[in-house]
PDB file of all heavy atoms in Angstrom:
ATOM      1  N   ALA A   1     102.553 103.735 108.838  1.00  0.00           N
ATOM      2  CA  ALA A   1     102.329 102.437 108.204  1.00  0.00           C
ATOM      3  C   ALA A   1     102.628 102.541 106.718  1.00  0.00           C
ATOM      4  O   ALA A   1     102.298 103.538 106.070  1.00  0.00           O
ATOM      5  CB  ALA A   1     100.888 101.963 108.419  1.00  0.00           C
ATOM      6  N   ASP A   2     103.297 101.524 106.205  1.00  0.00           N
ATOM      7  CA  ASP A   2     103.463 101.367 104.763  1.00  0.00           C
ATOM      8  C   ASP A   2     103.253  99.894 104.451  1.00  0.00           C
ATOM      9  O   ASP A   2     102.695  99.156 105.268  1.00  0.00           O
ATOM     10  CB  ASP A   2     104.814 101.901 104.275  1.00  0.00           C
ATOM     11  CG  ASP A   2     106.013 101.212 104.931  1.00  0.00           C
ATOM     12  OD1 ASP A   2     105.875 100.048 105.375  1.00  0.00           O
ATOM     13  OD2 ASP A   2     107.090 101.826 105.005  1.00  0.00           O
ATOM     14  N   GLU A   3     103.667  99.447 103.266  1.00  0.00           N
ATOM     15  CA  GLU A   3     103.416  98.060 102.905  1.00  0.00           C
ATOM     16  C   GLU A   3     104.346  97.081 103.603  1.00  0.00           C
ATOM     17  O   GLU A   3     104.198  95.860 103.467  1.00  0.00           O
ATOM     18  CB  GLU A   3     103.513  97.867 101.389  1.00  0.00           C
ATOM     19  CG  GLU A   3     104.875  98.169 100.791  1.00  0.00           C
ATOM     20  CD  GLU A   3     105.001  99.618 100.339  1.00  0.00           C
ATOM     21  OE1 GLU A   3     104.518 100.515 101.053  1.00  0.00           O
ATOM     22  OE2 GLU A   3     105.607  99.839  99.273  1.00  0.00           O
ATOM     23  N   TYR A   4     105.314  97.611 104.371  1.00  0.00           N
ATOM     24  CA  TYR A   4     106.292  96.738 105.019  1.00  0.00           C
ATOM     25  C   TYR A   4     106.177  96.696 106.539  1.00  0.00           C
ATOM     26  O   TYR A   4     106.339  95.639 107.149  1.00  0.00           O
ATOM     27  CB  TYR A   4     107.707  97.179 104.639  1.00  0.00           C
ATOM     28  CG  TYR A   4     107.981  97.116 103.163  1.00  0.00           C
ATOM     29  CD1 TYR A   4     108.105  98.283 102.409  1.00  0.00           C
ATOM     30  CD2 TYR A   4     108.101  95.899 102.509  1.00  0.00           C
ATOM     31  CE1 TYR A   4     108.354  98.234 101.035  1.00  0.00           C
ATOM     32  CE2 TYR A   4     108.346  95.839 101.144  1.00  0.00           C
ATOM     33  CZ  TYR A   4     108.474  97.010 100.412  1.00  0.00           C
ATOM     34  OH  TYR A   4     108.704  96.947  99.065  1.00  0.00           O
ATOM     35  N   ILE A   5     105.943  97.838 107.177  1.00  0.00           N
ATOM     36  CA  ILE A   5     105.893  97.888 108.634  1.00  0.00           C
ATOM     37  C   ILE A   5     104.738  98.780 109.094  1.00  0.00           C
ATOM     38  O   ILE A   5     104.209  99.578 108.313  1.00  0.00           O
ATOM     39  CB  ILE A   5     107.201  98.423 109.251  1.00  0.00           C
ATOM     40  CG1 ILE A   5     107.388  99.913 108.902  1.00  0.00           C
ATOM     41  CG2 ILE A   5     108.401  97.603 108.830  1.00  0.00           C
ATOM     42  CD1 ILE A   5     108.443 100.608 109.732  1.00  0.00           C
ATOM     43  N   SER A   6     104.382  98.626 110.356  1.00  0.00           N
ATOM     44  CA  SER A   6     103.467  99.575 110.984  1.00  0.00           C
ATOM     45  C   SER A   6     104.022  99.945 112.347  1.00  0.00           C
ATOM     46  O   SER A   6     104.679  99.136 113.010  1.00  0.00           O
ATOM     47  CB  SER A   6     102.062  98.981 111.126  1.00  0.00           C
ATOM     48  OG  SER A   6     102.042  97.951 112.091  1.00  0.00           O
ATOM     49  N   VAL A   7     103.767 101.181 112.749  1.00  0.00           N
ATOM     50  CA  VAL A   7     104.201 101.685 114.050  1.00  0.00           C
ATOM     51  C   VAL A   7     102.982 102.270 114.737  1.00  0.00           C
ATOM     52  O   VAL A   7     102.294 103.133 114.181  1.00  0.00           O
ATOM     53  CB  VAL A   7     105.284 102.779 113.901  1.00  0.00           C
ATOM     54  CG1 VAL A   7     105.728 103.274 115.279  1.00  0.00           C
ATOM     55  CG2 VAL A   7     106.483 102.261 113.112  1.00  0.00           C
ATOM     56  N   ARG A   8     102.685 101.789 115.936  1.00  0.00           N
ATOM     57  CA  ARG A   8     101.517 102.272 116.647  1.00  0.00           C
ATOM     58  C   ARG A   8     101.838 102.354 118.139  1.00  0.00           C
ATOM     59  O   ARG A   8     102.955 102.049 118.557  1.00  0.00           O
ATOM     60  CB  ARG A   8     100.301 101.365 116.401  1.00  0.00           C
ATOM     61  CG  ARG A   8     100.547  99.909 116.721  1.00  0.00           C
ATOM     62  CD  ARG A   8      99.454  99.013 116.151  1.00  0.00           C
ATOM     63  NE  ARG A   8      99.723  97.607 116.382  1.00  0.00           N
ATOM     64  CZ  ARG A   8      99.374  96.934 117.463  1.00  0.00           C
ATOM     65  NH1 ARG A   8      98.711  97.564 118.446  1.00  0.00           N
ATOM     66  NH2 ARG A   8      99.642  95.663 117.611  1.00  0.00           N
ATOM     67  N   PHE A   9     100.854 102.748 118.928  1.00  0.00           N
ATOM     68  CA  PHE A   9     101.070 102.946 120.358  1.00  0.00           C
ATOM     69  C   PHE A   9     100.097 102.093 121.169  1.00  0.00           C
ATOM     70  O   PHE A   9      99.012 101.738 120.710  1.00  0.00           O
ATOM     71  CB  PHE A   9     100.841 104.417 120.736  1.00  0.00           C
ATOM     72  CG  PHE A   9     101.755 105.385 120.047  1.00  0.00           C
ATOM     73  CD1 PHE A   9     101.365 105.997 118.862  1.00  0.00           C
ATOM     74  CD2 PHE A   9     102.995 105.697 120.582  1.00  0.00           C
ATOM     75  CE1 PHE A   9     102.194 106.895 118.220  1.00  0.00           C
ATOM     76  CE2 PHE A   9     103.831 106.595 119.951  1.00  0.00           C
ATOM     77  CZ  PHE A   9     103.434 107.199 118.763  1.00  0.00           C
ATOM     78  N   SER A  10     100.512 101.777 122.389  1.00  0.00           N
ATOM     79  CA  SER A  10      99.595 101.227 123.379  1.00  0.00           C
ATOM     80  C   SER A  10      99.937 101.860 124.722  1.00  0.00           C
ATOM     81  O   SER A  10     101.053 102.339 124.928  1.00  0.00           O
ATOM     82  CB  SER A  10      99.692  99.698 123.472  1.00  0.00           C
ATOM     83  OG  SER A  10     100.916  99.303 124.071  1.00  0.00           O
ATOM     84  N   ILE A  11      98.948 101.880 125.604  1.00  0.00           N
ATOM     85  CA  ILE A  11      99.148 102.453 126.936  1.00  0.00           C
ATOM     86  C   ILE A  11      98.962 101.352 127.963  1.00  0.00           C
ATOM     87  O   ILE A  11      97.939 100.656 127.968  1.00  0.00           O
ATOM     88  CB  ILE A  11      98.170 103.611 127.196  1.00  0.00           C
ATOM     89  CG1 ILE A  11      98.472 104.766 126.227  1.00  0.00           C
ATOM     90  CG2 ILE A  11      98.249 104.094 128.646  1.00  0.00           C
ATOM     91  CD1 ILE A  11      97.516 105.935 126.337  1.00  0.00           C
ATOM     92  N   GLY A  12      99.963 101.190 128.830  1.00  0.00           N
ATOM     93  CA  GLY A  12      99.917 100.164 129.856  1.00  0.00           C
ATOM     94  C   GLY A  12      99.603 100.742 131.224  1.00  0.00           C
ATOM     95  O   GLY A  12      99.801 101.930 131.484  1.00  0.00           O
ATOM     96  N   GLY A  13      99.117  99.883 132.099  1.00  0.00           N
ATOM     97  CA  GLY A  13      98.772 100.308 133.450  1.00  0.00           C
ATOM     98  C   GLY A  13      97.276 100.426 133.637  1.00  0.00           C
ATOM     99  O   GLY A  13      96.503 100.404 132.668  1.00  0.00           O
ATOM    100  N   VAL A  14      96.854 100.558 134.876  1.00  0.00           N
ATOM    101  CA  VAL A  14      95.434 100.627 135.219  1.00  0.00           C
ATOM    102  C   VAL A  14      95.073 102.040 135.652  1.00  0.00           C
ATOM    103  O   VAL A  14      95.764 102.652 136.476  1.00  0.00           O
ATOM    104  CB  VAL A  14      95.104  99.632 136.345  1.00  0.00           C
ATOM    105  CG1 VAL A  14      93.654  99.778 136.775  1.00  0.00           C
ATOM    106  CG2 VAL A  14      95.387  98.205 135.891  1.00  0.00           C
ATOM    107  N   PHE A  15      93.993 102.570 135.094  1.00  0.00           N
ATOM    108  CA  PHE A  15      93.434 103.859 135.517  1.00  0.00           C
ATOM    109  C   PHE A  15      92.300 103.555 136.487  1.00  0.00           C
ATOM    110  O   PHE A  15      91.292 102.949 136.104  1.00  0.00           O
ATOM    111  CB  PHE A  15      92.954 104.653 134.305  1.00  0.00           C
ATOM    112  CG  PHE A  15      94.066 105.091 133.394  1.00  0.00           C
ATOM    113  CD1 PHE A  15      94.656 104.193 132.500  1.00  0.00           C
ATOM    114  CD2 PHE A  15      94.546 106.392 133.430  1.00  0.00           C
ATOM    115  CE1 PHE A  15      95.686 104.593 131.656  1.00  0.00           C
ATOM    116  CE2 PHE A  15      95.575 106.802 132.591  1.00  0.00           C
ATOM    117  CZ  PHE A  15      96.152 105.903 131.709  1.00  0.00           C
ATOM    118  N   VAL A  16      92.454 103.957 137.727  1.00  0.00           N
ATOM    119  CA  VAL A  16      91.559 103.488 138.793  1.00  0.00           C
ATOM    120  C   VAL A  16      90.169 104.123 138.739  1.00  0.00           C
ATOM    121  O   VAL A  16      89.199 103.545 139.231  1.00  0.00           O
ATOM    122  CB  VAL A  16      92.192 103.713 140.180  1.00  0.00           C
ATOM    123  CG1 VAL A  16      93.440 102.852 140.335  1.00  0.00           C
ATOM    124  CG2 VAL A  16      92.560 105.188 140.385  1.00  0.00           C
ATOM    125  N   THR A  17      90.055 105.314 138.150  1.00  0.00           N
ATOM    126  CA  THR A  17      88.750 105.948 137.983  1.00  0.00           C
ATOM    127  C   THR A  17      88.720 106.666 136.641  1.00  0.00           C
ATOM    128  O   THR A  17      89.763 106.842 135.990  1.00  0.00           O
ATOM    129  CB  THR A  17      88.450 106.981 139.096  1.00  0.00           C
ATOM    130  OG1 THR A  17      89.306 108.129 138.919  1.00  0.00           O
ATOM    131  CG2 THR A  17      88.669 106.389 140.485  1.00  0.00           C
ATOM    132  N   ILE A  18      87.555 107.137 136.227  1.00  0.00           N
ATOM    133  CA  ILE A  18      87.429 107.862 134.969  1.00  0.00           C
ATOM    134  C   ILE A  18      88.176 109.189 135.023  1.00  0.00           C
ATOM    135  O   ILE A  18      88.535 109.767 133.991  1.00  0.00           O
ATOM    136  CB  ILE A  18      85.932 108.099 134.620  1.00  0.00           C
ATOM    137  CG1 ILE A  18      85.780 108.588 133.177  1.00  0.00           C
ATOM    138  CG2 ILE A  18      85.292 109.056 135.615  1.00  0.00           C
ATOM    139  CD1 ILE A  18      86.208 107.604 132.140  1.00  0.00           C
ATOM    140  N   ASP A  19      88.421 109.690 136.234  1.00  0.00           N
ATOM    141  CA  ASP A  19      89.137 110.958 136.395  1.00  0.00           C
ATOM    142  C   ASP A  19      90.636 110.771 136.557  1.00  0.00           C
ATOM    143  O   ASP A  19      91.383 111.747 136.645  1.00  0.00           O
ATOM    144  CB  ASP A  19      88.595 111.719 137.608  1.00  0.00           C
ATOM    145  CG  ASP A  19      87.131 112.095 137.431  1.00  0.00           C
ATOM    146  OD1 ASP A  19      86.779 112.539 136.311  1.00  0.00           O
ATOM    147  OD2 ASP A  19      86.351 111.939 138.392  1.00  0.00           O
ATOM    148  N   ASP A  20      91.093 109.535 136.619  1.00  0.00           N
ATOM    149  CA  ASP A  20      92.529 109.264 136.727  1.00  0.00           C
ATOM    150  C   ASP A  20      93.212 109.677 135.431  1.00  0.00           C
ATOM    151  O   ASP A  20      92.635 109.567 134.351  1.00  0.00           O
ATOM    152  CB  ASP A  20      92.746 107.772 136.991  1.00  0.00           C
ATOM    153  CG  ASP A  20      94.159 107.453 137.456  1.00  0.00           C
ATOM    154  OD1 ASP A  20      94.935 108.404 137.683  1.00  0.00           O
ATOM    155  OD2 ASP A  20      94.470 106.256 137.588  1.00  0.00           O
ATOM    156  N   ARG A  21      94.442 110.147 135.531  1.00  0.00           N
ATOM    157  CA  ARG A  21      95.186 110.592 134.355  1.00  0.00           C
ATOM    158  C   ARG A  21      96.540 109.895 134.283  1.00  0.00           C
ATOM    159  O   ARG A  21      97.027 109.357 135.260  1.00  0.00           O
ATOM    160  CB  ARG A  21      95.364 112.120 134.377  1.00  0.00           C
ATOM    161  CG  ARG A  21      94.054 112.894 134.271  1.00  0.00           C
ATOM    162  CD  ARG A  21      93.373 112.636 132.936  1.00  0.00           C
ATOM    163  NE  ARG A  21      92.093 113.326 132.821  1.00  0.00           N
ATOM    164  CZ  ARG A  21      90.903 112.768 133.058  1.00  0.00           C
ATOM    165  NH1 ARG A  21      90.843 111.489 133.449  1.00  0.00           N
ATOM    166  NH2 ARG A  21      89.790 113.461 132.913  1.00  0.00           N
ATOM    167  N   PHE A  22      97.142 109.956 133.104  1.00  0.00           N
ATOM    168  CA  PHE A  22      98.404 109.264 132.854  1.00  0.00           C
ATOM    169  C   PHE A  22      99.472 109.721 133.845  1.00  0.00           C
ATOM    170  O   PHE A  22      99.720 110.911 134.007  1.00  0.00           O
ATOM    171  CB  PHE A  22      98.874 109.529 131.419  1.00  0.00           C
ATOM    172  CG  PHE A  22     100.071 108.721 131.018  1.00  0.00           C
ATOM    173  CD1 PHE A  22      99.914 107.475 130.422  1.00  0.00           C
ATOM    174  CD2 PHE A  22     101.354 109.188 131.244  1.00  0.00           C
ATOM    175  CE1 PHE A  22     101.016 106.718 130.052  1.00  0.00           C
ATOM    176  CE2 PHE A  22     102.464 108.444 130.869  1.00  0.00           C
ATOM    177  CZ  PHE A  22     102.297 107.212 130.279  1.00  0.00           C
ATOM    178  N   ASP A  23     100.097 108.744 134.492  1.00  0.00           N
ATOM    179  CA  ASP A  23     101.133 108.996 135.494  1.00  0.00           C
ATOM    180  C   ASP A  23     102.302 108.081 135.170  1.00  0.00           C
ATOM    181  O   ASP A  23     102.159 106.846 135.162  1.00  0.00           O
ATOM    182  CB  ASP A  23     100.575 108.700 136.891  1.00  0.00           C
ATOM    183  CG  ASP A  23     101.604 108.897 137.997  1.00  0.00           C
ATOM    184  OD1 ASP A  23     102.768 109.208 137.681  1.00  0.00           O
ATOM    185  OD2 ASP A  23     101.254 108.725 139.176  1.00  0.00           O
ATOM    186  N   THR A  24     103.461 108.657 134.889  1.00  0.00           N
ATOM    187  CA  THR A  24     104.613 107.852 134.472  1.00  0.00           C
ATOM    188  C   THR A  24     105.044 106.848 135.535  1.00  0.00           C
ATOM    189  O   THR A  24     105.730 105.873 135.230  1.00  0.00           O
ATOM    190  CB  THR A  24     105.805 108.751 134.118  1.00  0.00           C
ATOM    191  OG1 THR A  24     106.100 109.612 135.234  1.00  0.00           O
ATOM    192  CG2 THR A  24     105.493 109.597 132.893  1.00  0.00           C
ATOM    193  N   ALA A  25     104.654 107.085 136.789  1.00  0.00           N
ATOM    194  CA  ALA A  25     105.008 106.149 137.850  1.00  0.00           C
ATOM    195  C   ALA A  25     104.132 104.893 137.813  1.00  0.00           C
ATOM    196  O   ALA A  25     104.525 103.833 138.302  1.00  0.00           O
ATOM    197  CB  ALA A  25     104.888 106.821 139.215  1.00  0.00           C
ATOM    198  N   ARG A  26     102.918 105.007 137.206  1.00  0.00           N
ATOM    199  CA  ARG A  26     101.979 103.887 137.200  1.00  0.00           C
ATOM    200  C   ARG A  26     101.598 103.407 135.803  1.00  0.00           C
ATOM    201  O   ARG A  26     101.038 102.322 135.644  1.00  0.00           O
ATOM    202  CB  ARG A  26     100.703 104.285 137.952  1.00  0.00           C
ATOM    203  CG  ARG A  26     100.910 104.595 139.424  1.00  0.00           C
ATOM    204  CD  ARG A  26      99.602 104.985 140.110  1.00  0.00           C
ATOM    205  NE  ARG A  26      99.094 106.277 139.606  1.00  0.00           N
ATOM    206  CZ  ARG A  26      97.950 106.428 138.970  1.00  0.00           C
ATOM    207  NH1 ARG A  26      97.199 105.364 138.729  1.00  0.00           N
ATOM    208  NH2 ARG A  26      97.560 107.618 138.559  1.00  0.00           N
ATOM    209  N   HIS A  27     101.890 104.218 134.813  1.00  0.00           N
ATOM    210  CA  HIS A  27     101.478 103.891 133.451  1.00  0.00           C
ATOM    211  C   HIS A  27     102.685 103.966 132.515  1.00  0.00           C
ATOM    212  O   HIS A  27     103.717 104.544 132.851  1.00  0.00           O
ATOM    213  CB  HIS A  27     100.387 104.859 132.976  1.00  0.00           C
ATOM    214  CG  HIS A  27      99.231 104.958 133.906  1.00  0.00           C
ATOM    215  ND1 HIS A  27      98.897 106.123 134.562  1.00  0.00           N
ATOM    216  CD2 HIS A  27      98.330 104.030 134.310  1.00  0.00           C
ATOM    217  CE1 HIS A  27      97.839 105.920 135.321  1.00  0.00           C
ATOM    218  NE2 HIS A  27      97.471 104.657 135.187  1.00  0.00           N
ATOM    219  N   SER A  28     102.524 103.405 131.349  1.00  0.00           N
ATOM    220  CA  SER A  28     103.601 103.456 130.354  1.00  0.00           C
ATOM    221  C   SER A  28     103.009 103.640 128.961  1.00  0.00           C
ATOM    222  O   SER A  28     101.913 103.161 128.670  1.00  0.00           O
ATOM    223  CB  SER A  28     104.433 102.173 130.389  1.00  0.00           C
ATOM    224  OG  SER A  28     103.637 101.042 130.056  1.00  0.00           O
ATOM    225  N   LEU A  29     103.745 104.355 128.142  1.00  0.00           N
ATOM    226  CA  LEU A  29     103.392 104.496 126.726  1.00  0.00           C
ATOM    227  C   LEU A  29     104.356 103.625 125.932  1.00  0.00           C
ATOM    228  O   LEU A  29     105.571 103.794 126.017  1.00  0.00           O
ATOM    229  CB  LEU A  29     103.504 105.948 126.277  1.00  0.00           C
ATOM    230  CG  LEU A  29     103.253 106.188 124.784  1.00  0.00           C
ATOM    231  CD1 LEU A  29     101.812 105.843 124.417  1.00  0.00           C
ATOM    232  CD2 LEU A  29     103.579 107.626 124.404  1.00  0.00           C
ATOM    233  N   ASN A  30     103.809 102.687 125.176  1.00  0.00           N
ATOM    234  CA  ASN A  30     104.635 101.732 124.442  1.00  0.00           C
ATOM    235  C   ASN A  30     104.551 101.982 122.944  1.00  0.00           C
ATOM    236  O   ASN A  30     103.463 102.195 122.409  1.00  0.00           O
ATOM    237  CB  ASN A  30     104.178 100.304 124.740  1.00  0.00           C
ATOM    238  CG  ASN A  30     104.121 100.025 126.222  1.00  0.00           C
ATOM    239  OD1 ASN A  30     105.114 100.125 126.923  1.00  0.00           O
ATOM    240  ND2 ASN A  30     102.938  99.685 126.712  1.00  0.00           N
ATOM    241  N   VAL A  31     105.699 101.968 122.301  1.00  0.00           N
ATOM    242  CA  VAL A  31     105.762 102.053 120.846  1.00  0.00           C
ATOM    243  C   VAL A  31     105.872 100.632 120.304  1.00  0.00           C
ATOM    244  O   VAL A  31     106.792  99.897 120.660  1.00  0.00           O
ATOM    245  CB  VAL A  31     106.968 102.889 120.386  1.00  0.00           C
ATOM    246  CG1 VAL A  31     107.007 102.968 118.861  1.00  0.00           C
ATOM    247  CG2 VAL A  31     106.918 104.283 120.992  1.00  0.00           C
ATOM    248  N   ILE A  32     104.925 100.239 119.465  1.00  0.00           N
ATOM    249  CA  ILE A  32     104.858  98.870 118.958  1.00  0.00           C
ATOM    250  C   ILE A  32     105.107  98.882 117.452  1.00  0.00           C
ATOM    251  O   ILE A  32     104.432  99.596 116.707  1.00  0.00           O
ATOM    252  CB  ILE A  32     103.496  98.232 119.250  1.00  0.00           C
ATOM    253  CG1 ILE A  32     103.238  98.222 120.769  1.00  0.00           C
ATOM    254  CG2 ILE A  32     103.418  96.828 118.688  1.00  0.00           C
ATOM    255  CD1 ILE A  32     101.847  97.760 121.133  1.00  0.00           C
ATOM    256  N   THR A  33     106.074  98.113 117.026  1.00  0.00           N
ATOM    257  CA  THR A  33     106.346  97.974 115.592  1.00  0.00           C
ATOM    258  C   THR A  33     106.063  96.538 115.178  1.00  0.00           C
ATOM    259  O   THR A  33     106.326  95.602 115.936  1.00  0.00           O
ATOM    260  CB  THR A  33     107.811  98.316 115.255  1.00  0.00           C
ATOM    261  OG1 THR A  33     108.683  97.423 115.950  1.00  0.00           O
ATOM    262  CG2 THR A  33     108.132  99.743 115.639  1.00  0.00           C
ATOM    263  N   SER A  34     105.546  96.356 113.996  1.00  0.00           N
ATOM    264  CA  SER A  34     105.274  95.010 113.489  1.00  0.00           C
ATOM    265  C   SER A  34     105.448  94.991 111.983  1.00  0.00           C
ATOM    266  O   SER A  34     105.250  96.002 111.296  1.00  0.00           O
ATOM    267  CB  SER A  34     103.865  94.550 113.872  1.00  0.00           C
ATOM    268  OG  SER A  34     102.890  95.452 113.381  1.00  0.00           O
ATOM    269  N   LEU A  35     105.832  93.826 111.477  1.00  0.00           N
ATOM    270  CA  LEU A  35     105.994  93.649 110.042  1.00  0.00           C
ATOM    271  C   LEU A  35     104.644  93.413 109.385  1.00  0.00           C
ATOM    272  O   LEU A  35     103.771  92.759 109.951  1.00  0.00           O
ATOM    273  CB  LEU A  35     106.918  92.463 109.763  1.00  0.00           C
ATOM    274  CG  LEU A  35     108.364  92.587 110.240  1.00  0.00           C
ATOM    275  CD1 LEU A  35     109.123  91.297 109.937  1.00  0.00           C
ATOM    276  CD2 LEU A  35     109.054  93.770 109.581  1.00  0.00           C
ATOM    277  N   LYS A  36     104.466  93.923 108.174  1.00  0.00           N
ATOM    278  CA  LYS A  36     103.228  93.714 107.430  1.00  0.00           C
ATOM    279  C   LYS A  36     103.323  92.399 106.644  1.00  0.00           C
ATOM    280  O   LYS A  36     104.379  91.776 106.531  1.00  0.00           O
ATOM    281  CB  LYS A  36     102.991  94.900 106.488  1.00  0.00           C
ATOM    282  CG  LYS A  36     102.897  96.241 107.206  1.00  0.00           C
ATOM    283  CD  LYS A  36     101.634  96.362 108.039  1.00  0.00           C
ATOM    284  CE  LYS A  36     100.441  96.775 107.228  1.00  0.00           C
ATOM    285  NZ  LYS A  36     100.533  98.131 106.704  1.00  0.00           N
ATOM    286  N   GLN A  37     102.215  92.013 106.066  1.00  0.00           N
ATOM    287  CA  GLN A  37     102.124  90.711 105.418  1.00  0.00           C
ATOM    288  C   GLN A  37     103.128  90.545 104.277  1.00  0.00           C
ATOM    289  O   GLN A  37     103.611  89.437 104.024  1.00  0.00           O
ATOM    290  CB  GLN A  37     100.702  90.487 104.897  1.00  0.00           C
ATOM    291  CG  GLN A  37     100.429  89.069 104.416  1.00  0.00           C
ATOM    292  CD  GLN A  37     100.626  88.029 105.499  1.00  0.00           C
ATOM    293  OE1 GLN A  37     100.354  88.282 106.664  1.00  0.00           O
ATOM    294  NE2 GLN A  37     101.113  86.858 105.118  1.00  0.00           N
ATOM    295  N   GLN A  38     103.461  91.627 103.596  1.00  0.00           N
ATOM    296  CA  GLN A  38     104.417  91.522 102.489  1.00  0.00           C
ATOM    297  C   GLN A  38     105.767  91.002 102.962  1.00  0.00           C
ATOM    298  O   GLN A  38     106.477  90.312 102.214  1.00  0.00           O
ATOM    299  CB  GLN A  38     104.589  92.886 101.809  1.00  0.00           C
ATOM    300  CG  GLN A  38     105.495  92.826 100.585  1.00  0.00           C
ATOM    301  CD  GLN A  38     105.224  93.951  99.616  1.00  0.00           C
ATOM    302  OE1 GLN A  38     104.116  94.439  99.509  1.00  0.00           O
ATOM    303  NE2 GLN A  38     106.241  94.364  98.892  1.00  0.00           N
ATOM    304  N   MET A  39     106.138  91.320 104.199  1.00  0.00           N
ATOM    305  CA  MET A  39     107.387  90.809 104.767  1.00  0.00           C
ATOM    306  C   MET A  39     107.176  89.431 105.386  1.00  0.00           C
ATOM    307  O   MET A  39     107.976  88.507 105.177  1.00  0.00           O
ATOM    308  CB  MET A  39     107.909  91.779 105.821  1.00  0.00           C
ATOM    309  CG  MET A  39     108.196  93.163 105.287  1.00  0.00           C
ATOM    310  SD  MET A  39     109.558  93.160 104.087  1.00  0.00           S
ATOM    311  CE  MET A  39     110.942  92.877 105.177  1.00  0.00           C
ATOM    312  N   LEU A  40     106.092  89.268 106.149  1.00  0.00           N
ATOM    313  CA  LEU A  40     105.852  88.002 106.840  1.00  0.00           C
ATOM    314  C   LEU A  40     105.676  86.845 105.858  1.00  0.00           C
ATOM    315  O   LEU A  40     106.084  85.717 106.143  1.00  0.00           O
ATOM    316  CB  LEU A  40     104.613  88.129 107.724  1.00  0.00           C
ATOM    317  CG  LEU A  40     104.716  89.123 108.888  1.00  0.00           C
ATOM    318  CD1 LEU A  40     103.358  89.246 109.580  1.00  0.00           C
ATOM    319  CD2 LEU A  40     105.779  88.692 109.881  1.00  0.00           C
ATOM    320  N   SER A  41     105.074  87.120 104.710  1.00  0.00           N
ATOM    321  CA  SER A  41     104.816  86.052 103.746  1.00  0.00           C
ATOM    322  C   SER A  41     106.095  85.476 103.158  1.00  0.00           C
ATOM    323  O   SER A  41     106.089  84.361 102.637  1.00  0.00           O
ATOM    324  CB  SER A  41     103.910  86.565 102.618  1.00  0.00           C
ATOM    325  OG  SER A  41     104.561  87.605 101.893  1.00  0.00           O
ATOM    326  N   ARG A  42     107.205  86.202 103.246  1.00  0.00           N
ATOM    327  CA  ARG A  42     108.466  85.664 102.712  1.00  0.00           C
ATOM    328  C   ARG A  42     108.951  84.463 103.513  1.00  0.00           C
ATOM    329  O   ARG A  42     109.796  83.694 103.047  1.00  0.00           O
ATOM    330  CB  ARG A  42     109.539  86.741 102.689  1.00  0.00           C
ATOM    331  CG  ARG A  42     109.299  87.867 101.691  1.00  0.00           C
ATOM    332  CD  ARG A  42     109.058  87.332 100.281  1.00  0.00           C
ATOM    333  NE  ARG A  42     110.123  86.486  99.790  1.00  0.00           N
ATOM    334  CZ  ARG A  42     111.190  86.943  99.118  1.00  0.00           C
ATOM    335  NH1 ARG A  42     111.295  88.237  98.849  1.00  0.00           N
ATOM    336  NH2 ARG A  42     112.114  86.106  98.692  1.00  0.00           N
ATOM    337  N   GLY A  43     108.413  84.305 104.708  1.00  0.00           N
ATOM    338  CA  GLY A  43     108.760  83.116 105.479  1.00  0.00           C
ATOM    339  C   GLY A  43     108.333  81.831 104.793  1.00  0.00           C
ATOM    340  O   GLY A  43     108.918  80.762 105.037  1.00  0.00           O
ATOM    341  N   LEU A  44     107.334  81.917 103.922  1.00  0.00           N
ATOM    342  CA  LEU A  44     106.893  80.739 103.182  1.00  0.00           C
ATOM    343  C   LEU A  44     107.948  80.263 102.189  1.00  0.00           C
ATOM    344  O   LEU A  44     107.891  79.118 101.717  1.00  0.00           O
ATOM    345  CB  LEU A  44     105.581  81.052 102.444  1.00  0.00           C
ATOM    346  CG  LEU A  44     104.390  81.446 103.323  1.00  0.00           C
ATOM    347  CD1 LEU A  44     103.216  81.865 102.449  1.00  0.00           C
ATOM    348  CD2 LEU A  44     103.999  80.302 104.245  1.00  0.00           C
TER     349      LEU A  44
END
């Protein structure tokens, strides 16, 4: 993260029990990027 963008992660899919573990066939790791307010405010 800096004053312009942020990069973070999210995990998709359902873990059926507390002992379930990440499985590429059922889950996904997503990289999420978003603009920070310094960039978004230029839309004004």
